[in-house]
Amino acid sequence: MALTLFEIWMYVQVPLVWWLFRRFAGRNVAGEMIAGAMIGLFNEFATEPLWDYHLRITFYKDTPVGIILSWAVMFTLVVYFSETLYKFFRKRPSVRPGDKSIFLFDLLAAVLISFPIETLGVKAGVWTYRYDRLNWDWGTVPLVKMPWEALFGYCLLMLVGPTFVRAWERTFDEVVPGGGK
Protein backbone atom coordinates (compact mmCIF):
# COMPACT_ATOMS: atom_id res chain seq x y z
CA MET A 1 0.00 0.00 0.00
CA ALA A 2 2.83 2.44 0.86
CA LEU A 3 4.46 1.96 -2.55
CA THR A 4 1.13 2.65 -4.25
CA LEU A 5 0.87 5.92 -2.32
CA PHE A 6 4.43 6.85 -3.30
CA GLU A 7 3.60 6.15 -6.94
CA ILE A 8 0.44 8.24 -6.80
CA TRP A 9 2.43 11.06 -5.18
CA MET A 10 4.94 10.97 -8.04
CA TYR A 11 2.14 11.89 -10.47
CA VAL A 12 0.40 14.40 -8.22
CA GLN A 13 3.58 16.28 -7.27
CA VAL A 14 4.21 17.72 -10.75
CA PRO A 15 1.02 19.78 -11.16
CA LEU A 16 0.99 20.56 -7.43
CA VAL A 17 4.55 21.92 -7.38
CA TRP A 18 3.95 23.82 -10.63
CA TRP A 19 0.80 25.40 -9.14
CA LEU A 20 2.46 26.22 -5.80
CA PHE A 21 5.35 27.98 -7.52
CA ARG A 22 2.98 29.83 -9.85
CA ARG A 23 0.66 30.85 -7.02
CA PHE A 24 3.09 31.70 -4.23
CA ALA A 25 6.38 32.51 -5.95
CA GLY A 26 4.96 34.02 -9.12
CA ARG A 27 7.20 31.69 -11.08
CA ASN A 28 6.38 29.34 -13.92
CA VAL A 29 8.57 26.30 -13.36
CA ALA A 30 7.41 24.30 -16.37
CA GLY A 31 10.74 24.87 -18.12
CA GLU A 32 12.70 23.73 -15.08
CA MET A 33 10.55 20.63 -14.85
CA ILE A 34 11.00 19.72 -18.51
CA ALA A 35 14.78 20.24 -18.34
CA GLY A 36 14.97 18.31 -15.05
CA ALA A 37 12.95 15.45 -16.55
CA MET A 38 15.41 15.31 -19.46
CA ILE A 39 18.33 14.88 -17.07
CA GLY A 40 16.38 12.28 -15.10
CA LEU A 41 15.52 10.37 -18.25
CA PHE A 42 19.16 10.28 -19.29
CA ASN A 43 20.29 9.27 -15.81
CA GLU A 44 17.73 6.49 -15.46
CA PHE A 45 18.43 5.08 -18.91
CA ALA A 46 22.20 5.18 -18.39
CA THR A 47 22.12 3.63 -14.91
CA GLU A 48 19.16 1.25 -15.20
CA PRO A 49 21.13 -1.91 -14.28
CA LEU A 50 22.32 -0.36 -11.00
CA TRP A 51 19.02 -0.36 -9.06
CA ASP A 52 15.78 -2.26 -8.98
CA TYR A 53 12.53 -0.30 -8.82
CA HIS A 54 9.42 -1.63 -7.15
CA LEU A 55 6.60 0.42 -8.72
CA ARG A 56 3.95 -0.55 -11.26
CA ILE A 57 3.90 1.92 -14.14
CA THR A 58 7.18 1.59 -16.02
CA PHE A 59 8.48 2.71 -19.40
CA TYR A 60 11.89 1.07 -19.76
CA LYS A 61 12.53 -2.26 -18.12
CA ASP A 62 11.64 -1.59 -14.45
CA THR A 63 12.14 2.20 -14.57
CA PRO A 64 8.94 3.94 -13.43
CA VAL A 65 7.47 6.94 -15.22
CA GLY A 66 7.00 8.50 -11.79
CA ILE A 67 10.75 8.53 -11.20
CA ILE A 68 11.26 10.78 -14.23
CA LEU A 69 8.57 13.09 -12.88
CA SER A 70 10.33 13.08 -9.53
CA TRP A 71 13.59 14.15 -11.19
CA ALA A 72 11.65 17.04 -12.74
CA VAL A 73 10.42 18.19 -9.34
CA MET A 74 13.75 17.60 -7.63
CA PHE A 75 15.68 19.75 -10.12
CA THR A 76 13.03 22.46 -9.85
CA LEU A 77 13.43 22.51 -6.07
CA VAL A 78 17.23 22.38 -6.23
CA VAL A 79 17.50 25.27 -8.70
CA TYR A 80 15.04 27.41 -6.75
CA PHE A 81 16.62 26.66 -3.37
CA SER A 82 20.15 27.14 -4.70
CA GLU A 83 19.27 30.50 -6.23
CA THR A 84 17.47 31.58 -3.06
CA LEU A 85 20.53 30.75 -0.96
CA TYR A 86 22.79 32.51 -3.48
CA LYS A 87 20.71 35.71 -3.34
CA PHE A 88 20.58 35.61 0.45
CA PHE A 89 24.26 34.98 1.12
CA ARG A 90 25.61 37.02 -1.77
CA LYS A 91 23.13 39.84 -1.02
CA ARG A 92 22.04 40.13 -4.65
CA PRO A 93 18.60 40.41 -6.22
CA SER A 94 19.42 37.65 -8.74
CA VAL A 95 22.14 35.24 -9.79
CA ARG A 96 24.83 37.23 -11.55
CA PRO A 97 25.58 35.69 -14.98
CA GLY A 98 28.96 34.02 -14.95
CA ASP A 99 29.28 33.94 -11.16
CA LYS A 100 30.74 30.50 -10.49
CA SER A 101 29.90 30.67 -6.80
CA ILE A 102 26.43 29.38 -7.76
CA PHE A 103 28.07 25.94 -7.96
CA LEU A 104 28.62 26.01 -4.19
CA PHE A 105 24.94 26.68 -3.63
CA ASP A 106 24.04 23.92 -6.11
CA LEU A 107 26.17 21.52 -4.04
CA LEU A 108 24.51 22.67 -0.84
CA ALA A 109 21.11 22.13 -2.42
CA ALA A 110 22.19 18.61 -3.42
CA VAL A 111 23.01 17.83 0.20
CA LEU A 112 19.85 19.45 1.59
CA ILE A 113 17.28 18.40 -1.04
CA SER A 114 18.47 15.63 -3.37
CA PHE A 115 20.19 13.37 -0.86
CA PRO A 116 17.21 13.36 1.55
CA ILE A 117 14.90 12.47 -1.36
CA GLU A 118 17.25 9.63 -2.30
CA THR A 119 17.34 8.46 1.30
CA LEU A 120 13.54 8.50 1.55
CA GLY A 121 13.19 6.52 -1.67
CA VAL A 122 15.62 3.83 -0.54
CA LYS A 123 14.29 3.59 3.02
CA ALA A 124 10.68 3.41 1.76
CA GLY A 125 11.57 0.57 -0.60
CA VAL A 126 10.76 2.43 -3.80
CA TRP A 127 14.08 1.14 -5.15
CA THR A 128 16.99 -0.93 -3.97
CA TYR A 129 20.63 -0.55 -4.89
CA ARG A 130 22.30 -3.39 -6.78
CA TYR A 131 25.38 -3.52 -4.57
CA ASP A 132 26.65 -6.52 -6.56
CA ARG A 133 27.02 -4.16 -9.56
CA LEU A 134 27.77 -0.86 -7.83
CA ASN A 135 30.75 -2.11 -5.82
CA TRP A 136 30.33 0.78 -3.37
CA ASP A 137 32.71 0.42 -0.45
CA TRP A 138 33.21 3.86 1.13
CA GLY A 139 30.93 3.05 4.04
CA THR A 140 27.77 4.87 5.06
CA VAL A 141 26.79 8.38 6.08
CA PRO A 142 26.26 8.43 9.86
CA LEU A 143 22.69 8.59 11.17
CA VAL A 144 20.99 7.92 7.81
CA LYS A 145 23.08 4.83 6.93
CA MET A 146 23.21 5.70 3.24
CA PRO A 147 26.25 5.04 1.04
CA TRP A 148 28.73 7.90 0.81
CA GLU A 149 28.88 7.24 -2.93
CA ALA A 150 25.20 8.21 -3.27
CA LEU A 151 25.88 11.57 -1.62
CA PHE A 152 29.01 12.12 -3.70
CA GLY A 153 27.11 11.17 -6.86
CA TYR A 154 24.46 13.80 -6.16
CA CYS A 155 27.15 16.40 -5.57
CA LEU A 156 28.75 15.58 -8.92
CA LEU A 157 25.38 15.65 -10.67
CA MET A 158 24.59 19.05 -9.17
CA LEU A 159 27.76 20.49 -10.68
CA VAL A 160 26.13 20.14 -14.12
CA GLY A 161 22.39 19.50 -13.70
CA PRO A 162 21.22 22.87 -12.40
CA THR A 163 23.36 24.66 -15.01
CA PHE A 164 21.59 22.67 -17.73
CA VAL A 165 18.20 23.48 -16.19
CA ARG A 166 19.01 27.20 -16.00
CA ALA A 167 20.25 27.22 -19.59
CA TRP A 168 17.14 25.57 -21.02
CA GLU A 169 14.27 26.57 -18.72
CA ARG A 170 13.25 29.70 -20.64
CA THR A 171 13.34 27.86 -23.96
CA PHE A 172 10.92 25.26 -22.62
CA ASP A 173 8.76 27.92 -20.95
CA GLU A 174 8.17 29.43 -24.40
CA VAL A 175 6.47 26.23 -25.64
CA VAL A 176 4.36 25.72 -22.51
CA PRO A 177 1.02 27.55 -22.37
CA GLY A 178 1.20 30.35 -19.80
CA GLY A 179 4.98 30.24 -20.02
CA GLY A 180 7.33 32.93 -18.83
CA LYS A 181 8.39 33.97 -15.40
Side-chain angles (χ1 to χ4, degrees):
M1 178 64 170
L3 288 179
T4 301
L5 293 175
F6 269 99
E7 193 159 16
I8 291 168
W9 168 249
M10 289 176 178
Y11 290 94
V12 171
Q13 70 180 337
V14 172
L16 179 63
V17 167
W18 179 87
W19 180 81
L20 289 170
F21 269 96
R22 189 74 164 180
R23 173 79 168 87
F24 297 107
R27 182 173 174 150
N28 178 25
V29 293
E32 284 105 318
M33 288 185 169
I34 293 169
M38 290 172 61
I39 298 168
L41 184 61
F42 168 79
N43 188 57
E44 294 302 329
F45 182 80
T47 63
E48 187 279 330
L50 302 177
W51 11 87
D52 290 326
Y53 286 103
H54 309 291
L55 300 177
R56 293 182 182 174
I57 303 172
T58 63
F59 71 95
Y60 175 68
K61 299 188 180 185
D62 73 338
T63 305
V65 174
I67 290 295
I68 305 308
L69 299 176
S70 294
W71 279 103
V73 169
M74 185 195 69
F75 272 107
T76 299
L77 296 174
V78 165
V79 167
Y80 181 77
F81 188 62
S82 174
E83 291 174 359
T84 300
L85 290 172
Y86 173 95
K87 291 185 281 188
F88 177 79
F89 286 107
R90 303 282 292 168
K91 304 212 182 327
R92 299 186 186 276
S94 62
V95 176
R96 195 177 86 219
D99 186 350
K100 305 300 184 259
S101 70
I102 190 67
F103 289 124
L104 298 174
F105 297 101
D106 290 345
L107 289 174
L108 183 58
V111 172
L112 297 175
I113 293 176
S114 302
F115 189 63
I117 292 171
E118 179 77 11
T119 302
L120 176 64
V122 169
K123 301 292 183 185
V126 176
W127 62 86
T128 52
Y129 296 137
R130 293 291 311 266
Y131 286 103
D132 59 318
R133 296 177 182 169
L134 288 165
N135 199 25
W136 285 348
D137 59 3
W138 291 356
T140 58
V141 177
L143 300 175
V144 295
K145 303 295 184 216
M146 286 286 291
W148 280 106
E149 291 92 340
L151 176 59
F152 185 68
Y154 271 105
C155 289
L156 289 174
L157 183 58
M158 292 309 151
L159 289 174
V160 294
T163 300
F164 176 86
V165 170
R166 289 183 192 100
W168 285 94
E169 66 183 310
R170 293 195 202 304
T171 302
F172 293 127
D173 282 341
E174 292 170 4
V175 297
V176 175
K181 295 231 179 238

